[in-house]
Amino acid sequence: MIIKPIKKIRQIIDIPGDKSISHRAIMLSSIAEGESKIFNFLKGNDPMNTIACFRQMGVSIDLNGDCVVVRGVGLRGLVRPADVLDVGNSGTTIRLMAGILAGQDFQSIVSGDESIKNRPMDRIIKPLRKMGANIKGIDRENFAPLKIHGGNIRPIKYKLPVASAQVKSAILLASLYAKDKTIIVEPKKSRDHTERMMNYMGADIWSRDRSITSEPLEKLYGKEIYIPGDISSAAFFLVLGTLVEDGEILINGVGLNPTRTGILDVLRQMGASIQIISPRVLNGEPMGDLLVKSSSLKGISIGGDMIPRLIDEVPIIAVAASLAEGKTTISNAEELKVKESNRISAMVNELKNIGADIEETHDGMIIHGKSEIRGGKIHSYKDHRIAMALTIAGLVSQEGVDIDDPNCVDISFPNFFHIINGVIKDES
Ligand code: S3P
């Protein structure tokens, strides 16, 4: 796909529902009692795989236009899947669903695509085994396919070795099957959508500093759930609106959970103009509209507690930093090596190829900003966030980019190129 550079944007954009929250809405509604109605659900490949897995376990899930109706079967109502549960490319599905499967008294096998089979699973296998689940991976017990036989879950007190919302959520979901309280301690605060949604559906989860306590409960209740727009998808347009010569973009209805808004803090610190309009809270999740206008950026240092708050936005931050004045350092970001691709080496290689001054470090990257980047041929590594970050780089480059395998954007943002085409058409 060829992306030509542009100079001017005036757009109002609706971005699709949050991926993390869409997964949780399907999983929690499936094991709640009664019907849930989910609005603004993300119909991307990843959450659609979550739907397919829960349908295989006997849950009735209907897609009626913009509304997904889930008829919950209760905590113990899932049935043994006849086949392998296939999560495709979705790390959130395999890790969170393993927490629920740990509580089921039947055997299941969970697998996915080549990327999933190369991502570490010992981080969930260890705590779920401690809770009493019989769970096995292959290749030193670290990789999918996973074979899980659950039941008889015990509460645990567990210190997470990595700041991972996926691992924390797997334990919280398994804790629904324990008779006493489970306590989790995080090294750094990660996204808390699971805690918020479980409480919205009747659970009692509370946190103090970095410790989270899940009290035992009888059942969850089906609810109406409105899913805010995904700030990780909005991030591409925040950077585009900032970097383009003459830009103004209004992005409607974006999730503004403070565990996810690192991108706003960092872009503002770099000099971006981003305004929050009409802040509101829906089913326990803050949201608002974002107005971004073009401005020049300067380099900064990003690391520590900030990293989990913008973990999925590092590829697009690298694009912003490539066109900022001065040096940007991203550190403590080694988790990026085990995402859908190795996002550190992917971004460093590709941005270097199109003319940026960027080098890889052991836990991140160093970028020396320039006033322009050339453009050229780039690879997506079949990773949705790499494809989208490099598309934005193409739009603000001198010559544009030619990107291979762009269809992977369907994982989290199926209408991404539709919006990009609108932006390009409006300019000409
Ligand atoms: C997610 C958590 C993050 C993030 C992923 C989605 C989630 O992963 O990178 O895209 O929905 O919980 P980790 O928590 O493993 O860092």
Side-chain angles (χ1 to χ4, degrees):
M1 181 175 290
I2 293 176
I3 306 290
K4 294 256 171 64
I6 57 166
K7 298 255 177 282
K8 185 177 171 191
I9 304 180
R10 290 278 175 286
Q11 286 275 322
I12 299 177
I13 296 175
D14 291 311
I15 45 152
D18 187 279
K19 180 158 80 70
S20 291
I21 303 178
S22 293
H23 286 297
R24 287 155 172 83
I26 296 298
M27 293 191 195
L28 288 168
S29 304
S30 292
I31 55 170
E33 308 259 326
E35 190 177 275
S36 289
K37 284 192 174 142
I38 305 168
F39 299 95
N40 202 36
F41 176 77
L42 168 66
K43 290 180 191 142
N45 293 348
D46 274 10
M48 291 308 284
N49 280 327
T50 295
I51 288 189
C53 290
F54 281 83
R55 278 182 175 153
Q56 263 181 271
M57 292 189 281
V59 183
S60 149
I61 305 175
D62 292 329
L63 278 85
N64 298 336
D66 191 36
C67 174
V68 179
V69 181
V70 181
R71 285 177 199 87
V73 296
L75 286 173
R76 291 176 176 78
L78 296 173
V79 297
R80 182 188 170 171
D83 226 320
V84 173
L85 296 166
D86 184 357
V87 304
N89 191 244
S90 178
T92 308
T93 309
I94 193 166
R95 297 203 178 105
L96 269 62
M97 190 167 67
I100 293 177
L101 293 171
Q104 312 304 318
D105 189 13
F106 56 67
Q107 183 178 291
S108 51
I109 296 174
V110 195
S111 196
D113 69 7
E114 282 314 302
S115 156
I116 276 294
K117 286 183 193 153
N118 283 298
R119 297 182 65 185
M121 293 299 148
D122 58 345
R123 53 181 63 192
I124 52 153
I125 292 178
K126 280 182 188 147
L128 294 177
R129 272 192 185 156
K130 272 200 171 157
M131 295 179 89
N134 184 344
I135 167 166
K136 288 196 172 74
I138 59 167
D139 218 351
R140 295 188 309 283
E141 301 292 338
N142 193 16
F143 296 99
L146 305 179
K147 196 198 255 181
I148 306 175
H149 197 135
N152 288 325
I153 286 295
R154 301 186 282 271
I156 50 167
K157 178 159 190 200
Y158 194 72
K159 212 169 154 198
L160 291 182
V162 280
S164 164
Q166 294 183 348
V167 181
K168 172 178 67 175
S169 301
I171 301 169
L172 285 174
L173 289 163
S175 81
L176 287 168
Y177 298 88
K179 290 196 182 71
D180 205 345
K181 66 173 92 176
T182 287
I183 300 171
I184 305 167
V185 181
E186 297 189 277
K188 296 184 183 105
K189 194 164 172 50
S190 66
R191 65 189 67 188
D192 64 1
H193 304 301
T194 307
E195 295 91 306
R196 286 175 191 248
M197 196 178 290
M198 281 171 74
N199 280 343
Y200 177 65
M201 298 175 88
D204 182 6
I205 298 176
W206 49 277
S207 46
R208 189 179 303 136
D209 302 325
R210 285 174 185 160
S211 148
I212 302 133
T213 302
S214 168
E215 302 284 353
L217 90 176
E218 288 298 312
K219 54 177 145 179
L220 294 171
Y221 297 90
K223 288 269 189 171
E224 289 202 349
I225 302 169
Y226 181 85
I227 300 186
D230 198 327
I231 191 167
S232 298
S233 300
F236 300 108
F237 292 95
L238 292 175
V239 171
L240 178 62
T242 300
L243 292 182
V244 83
E245 223 169 271
D246 177 9
E248 188 169 315
I249 307 179
L250 177 67
I251 313 171
N252 286 324
V254 181
L256 295 176
N257 180 316
T259 60
R260 296 283 298 283
T261 48
I263 180 71
L264 300 185
D265 298 343
V266 156
L267 287 177
R268 280 172 169 164
Q269 210 188 324
M270 292 174 84
S273 156
I274 303 171
Q275 213 181 315
I276 299 176
I277 299 168
S278 316
R280 46 207 187 265
V281 178
L282 271 176
N283 42 255
E285 289 283 352
M287 62 188 284
D289 308 323
L290 298 177
L291 179 66
V292 60
K293 294 182 183 169
S294 42
S295 27
S296 43
L297 299 180
K298 57 180 190 326
I300 59 165
S301 288
I302 307 165
D305 287 352
M306 183 58 92
I307 295 296
R309 296 183 58 227
L310 47 67
I311 188 73
D312 293 337
E313 286 68 76
V314 172
I316 190 62
I317 289 171
V319 173
S322 298
L323 286 165
E325 193 194 322
K327 176 176 158 186
T328 295
T329 309
I330 302 175
S331 49
N332 312 119
E334 49 277 268
E335 270 297 298
L336 288 179
K337 296 180 187 172
V338 291
K339 294 293 178 190
E340 285 84 329
S341 69
N342 178 337
R343 287 183 174 160
I344 297 180
S345 57
M347 285 312 291
V348 169
N349 289 341
E350 298 312 300
L351 282 175
K352 207 183 262 174
N353 280 342
I354 59 171
D357 182 350
I358 177 167
E359 64 191 89
E360 186 168 345
T361 62
H362 71 284
D363 66 347
M365 50 185 101
I366 296 174
I367 305 151
H368 294 277
K370 289 181 161 184
S371 56
E372 49 187 55
I373 44 178
R374 190 185 59 243
K377 270 196 178 310
I378 46 176
H379 301 297
S380 72
Y381 298 75
K382 295 191 169 61
D383 180 331
H384 53 129
R385 298 207 197 276
I386 302 296
M388 292 188 275
L390 292 170
T391 300
I392 302 301
L395 288 170
V396 295
S397 67
Q398 297 300 298
E399 297 168 9
V401 292
D402 180 357
I403 179 164
D404 69 357
D405 280 324
N407 292 342
C408 53
V409 303
D410 290 351
I411 298 284
S412 64
F413 199 161
N415 60 336
F416 176 74
F417 285 114
H418 181 77
I419 297 180
I420 294 290
N421 283 336
V423 166
I424 294 171
K425 218 185 281 148
D426 261 25
E427 206 212 11
S428 50

